[in-house]
Amino acid sequence: MKETIGVALYDRFLRGLARSPRRAALRVGARRLTYEELHQKALVCAGSLLDGTPEPPKAVGVLMEKGVDAYVGILAALYTGAAVVPLHPGFPADRTAMMIEAAGVSALLADDRGLAGLAGAKPDLPVLALGSACLDSRHHIPLSPRAGLAEPRPVAGTDPAYLLFTSGSTGRPKGVPIRHGSTRHYFELLDKRYDFHEEDIFSQTFDLNFDCGIFDLFCAWGAGASVHPVPPHAYRDLPAFVAERAMTVWFSTPSAISLVRRTGRLAPSVMPTLRWSLFAGEALRARDAAQWQESAPRATVENIYGPTELTVTVTRHSWSPETSPGLCVNGLAPIGTVHEGHDHVLLGPDGEESGAEGELCVTGPQLMTGYLDPADNRGRFLRRDGRDWYRTGDRVRRLGNGELVYLGRLDAQVQIHGWRVEPAEVEHAVRGCAGVDDAVVVARTTDEGVELIAYHTGRFVSPVLLAGQLRDVLPDGMMPKRFEHLREFPLNSNRKIDRAALARAAAEGDREGSGS
């Protein structure tokens, strides 16, 4: 008999519960929670929230460190029938308060660190505190087993499942609501694509306010598998951590590959237990895909791509050592084909459809209906053929086999003395220089115009030698004005290269490392 699943995102956990009630749904450090235990904790938290608020909340914030309570909180918020709003306890208090207000959060699940991070900006709303923090009675919701729900509250496909915030061009975060119906379509596609099962062990590398974390949790829980968050210290010897956990599914940003390489642990066949290795969040270099494939020879390596507004990911390319290298552009792996049930077009600079290269626009069931603030919709949607299409802001090229390859952001392209320069192309050239491991190229504006700054890792190479090598492959108009050697790139909370931090350093003339 064919197994069916309801429309709610939490129905995926309920399916895992039915399949694997006594298996570990979650392991954080040495602590394990079975599906039954996690389910019961979430029901108690959800019931306590509903009992402690005047009316059922439409949005519940989860402001916790990435530990057991945070995962309970994510599930509990969904069980209330509200949209879950994951919040990062390390963010500035004013920014978090802004998100809480914008999302219409009317109840908060928080731990000690989360509450401490809101010091001076505590919103006037009820809080269920998991930890030892003291709250005044006006805000405190007691955790009451007697209030626990018998089952999660029902939701409709049009109801928001979660609300995430992406960075906005004005400096104000943009709220992205994703509906239960969109997540259902997404995970049904993934169920057909991947053979995940009860014995799988999933990594969980992403912070919970990053949409790729939704993939980890609900792919694993929908299969009755186990989720293992990866602690920062594990990256000192990641293959050993993967082996100790007998991990079978890895998912991270590509920056993790460079990080493991720098530890000297990325060797052939060191991760034989992996069956799937998935990368998203930033461009995947061909060199990194090939080296990871050698380290996990039994795994299928995939590059998956998608903005938050299109429900986690909307394309995928399976890496083939034989054919994929020939499809790469600027040393970057293809992002593949768009998901079933979706249409896409490429728009040229004139706004007309281009067959070969342009801005990627996508429509289909994974598309959000609009930002929380309607003002943020301006310029992000295209009305075409009676449908709304999301303008990703990403430049892509259509290859001969129909797959797409990422070229860079539209807003990253710069003009230097009349040259239209794509930083990704310059980065590829810098990576080709002897001694360079990785490179990030940013633009800065000076009194004399726009110039490029190249940050690079690997061994130190003098700027004169780098410039000499690059003159063989780049015209003068594309040459970086300055080179900066770094031991490692700064990473943001989601372990992606923090390009914004490098751009700020360039703009301020901050000469980290050695300059030209």
Side-chain angles (χ1 to χ4, degrees), residues 5-16 79 152 155 218 221-222:
I5 193 167
V7 70
L9 179 57
Y10 61 64
D11 281 321
R12 295 193 62 80
F13 182 86
L14 298 182
R15 184 170 75 174
Y79 278 8
V155 297
F218 292 97
W221 288 345

Side-chain angles (χ1 to χ4, degrees), residues 158-326:
T158 54
D159 292 336
Y162 60 84
L163 299 170
L164 298 177
F165 286 86
T166 64
S167 60
S169 58
T170 63
R172 177 178 55 81
K174 296 188 295 185
V176 180
I178 298 296
R179 298 165 295 170
H180 286 279
S182 295
T183 62
R184 180 180 184 179
H185 180 92
Y186 180 64
F187 286 107
E188 283 180 345
L189 285 177
L190 300 186
D191 284 343
K192 289 190 287 186
R193 177 185 303 167
Y194 301 115
D195 60 349
F196 300 144
H197 53 68
E198 293 93 331
E199 295 184 1
D200 274 322
I201 306 294
F202 280 68
S203 70
Q204 210 282 301
T205 66
F206 301 99
D207 281 341
L208 296 175
N209 65 325
F210 187 17
D211 61 341
C212 287
I214 300 294
F215 178 106
D216 293 334
L217 296 183
F218 292 97
C219 274
W221 288 345
S226 184
V227 174
H228 290 214
V230 180
H233 65 77
Y235 289 93
R236 299 172 192 160
D237 190 350
L238 187 64
F241 180 81
V242 168
E244 186 264 324
R245 298 297 176 93
M247 197 163 280
T248 58
V249 182
W250 175 266
F251 186 27
S252 73
T253 62
S255 292
I257 304 175
S258 297
L259 183 60
V260 180
R261 182 189 298 115
R262 288 198 298 273
T263 68
R265 301 292 197 271
L266 199 60
S269 301
V270 291
M271 294 183 284
T273 61
L274 291 179
R275 302 193 310 113
W276 293 95
S277 294
L278 311 168
F279 297 95
E282 55 191 1
L284 175 63
R285 291 191 294 160
R287 173 193 174 190
D288 288 343
Q291 192 168 7
W292 187 275
Q293 179 74 86
E294 290 176 356
S295 72
R298 298 177 185 172
T300 299
V301 174
E302 287 198 346
N303 187 26
I304 56 181
Y305 155 92
T308 300
E309 292 83 350
L310 286 164
T311 311
V312 192
T313 61
V314 76
T315 75
R316 64 105 175 219
H317 170 80
S318 290
W319 179 263
S320 164
E322 292 74 32
T323 60
S324 293

